[in-house]
Amino acid sequence: MEGLRLALSWLTVLPVSGPATVDRRTAGAAIRWAPVPGLLLGGLAAGVLHGLTWVGAPPLVAALLVLAATAMATRGMHLDGLADTADGLGCYGPPERALAVMRDGAAGPFAVVTLLLVLGLQAGALAQLATQPERWPAVLIAALAGRWAFTWCCRRGVPAARPDGLGALVAGTQSWLVGVLGAVLLGAAAVVAVPARPWQGPLAVAVAAALVLLLSAHTRRRFGGVTGDVLGAAAELAGTAVLVVTACGPP
């Protein structure tokens, strides 16, 4: 259970104390447990969206407040990873320069544009889902997809880009089978995301998986491996894909 405790303490603001010592074994277990915090965060997002819509809040206002709530619940960690990854991919030079830019922490133009685009897509999709309560399970699927993305980014054969940091702890700790099985189970669960079109939820998961695969392959070439920032970027990318795809189409 140390892996679950670590996952909760890493990925949420819940007052859960992690293990006194974190090694690769415990960190790898935390990556496998990541869907549990995802389920909690998805439940929070769906609950806030439902509650605000029920009291008459405009859909876009409800969507923006959901994004604010989830950002606070995760300490903005995944958004920070997305921003740093965007700046790293956008800079010129060897991998060492890209990693230095990511470690700097300052938000450059690529980070700002990427955050605006991703948050705008998420807000628009959530606003659409707020008007169609039968699709609210899609919010849960999106949160789970974001945490499943960790498993694929940390699969065996992908090294850490740095000798220290989160990437060094979790790189190569997950088997391909765990990643594939997680995607299959998530796709099966996504059948309920859009009840009128049972194929749309699995399609959303497939799109999310394809984008995570591309991101993982590209960041491995560009940075030399995985970092903690890449995990955050993968989570935001996968979650956004599921929200956008499930929000499309007539009721």
Side-chain angles (χ1 to χ4, degrees):
M1 300 302 290
E2 287 186 346
L4 176 58
R5 287 169 49 207
L6 183 59
L8 291 169
S9 66
W10 265 354
L11 303 176
T12 73
V13 295
L14 291 174
V16 178
S17 59
T21 302
V22 178
D23 54 17
R24 280 179 56 81
R25 177 177 173 275
T26 307
I31 294 297
R32 288 189 292 275
W33 278 109
V36 173
L39 187 62
L40 296 176
L41 293 166
L44 169 68
V48 172
L49 189 66
H50 173 76
L52 291 172
T53 304
W54 184 74
V55 299
L60 184 56
V61 171
L64 290 172
L65 290 175
V66 166
L67 293 178
T70 53
M72 288 188 292
T74 59
R75 306 180 187 91
M77 181 168 55
H78 305 325
L79 291 172
D80 179 69
L82 174 66
D84 288 343
T85 301
D87 274 341
L89 291 175
C91 78
Y92 292 101
E96 293 76 16
R97 172 167 169 72
L99 292 171
V101 168
M102 294 166 68
R103 185 172 291 225
D104 178 70
F110 287 100
V112 173
V113 171
T114 300
L115 285 174
L116 287 174
L117 176 61
V118 169
L119 289 173
L121 288 171
Q122 291 178 356
L126 285 169
Q128 180 66 16
L129 292 172
T131 66
Q132 301 179 42
E134 71 278 2
R135 298 195 200 188
W136 282 342
V139 180
L140 293 175
I141 300 299
L144 288 170
R147 279 69 193 174
W148 161 83
F150 297 161
T151 303
W152 186 256
C153 292
C154 299
R155 69 192 183 279
R156 289 171 190 158
V158 178
R162 299 189 184 100
D164 57 357
L166 177 60
L169 272 176
V170 299
T173 59
Q174 309 301 308
S175 73
W176 289 56
L177 180 60
V178 170
V180 172
L181 182 61
V184 170
L185 292 175
L186 190 58
V191 169
V192 303
V194 184
R197 293 180 294 280
W199 52 267
Q200 192 165 341
L203 174 63
V205 172
V207 171
L211 291 175
V212 170
L213 291 177
L214 290 173
L215 177 69
S216 177
H218 185 48
T219 53
R220 182 182 181 182
R221 287 193 301 269
R222 183 67 182 92
F223 306 144
V226 68
T227 70
D229 288 329
V230 171
L231 298 185
E236 292 295 335
L237 188 63
T240 301
V242 170
L243 289 175
V244 170
V245 174
T246 55
C248 292

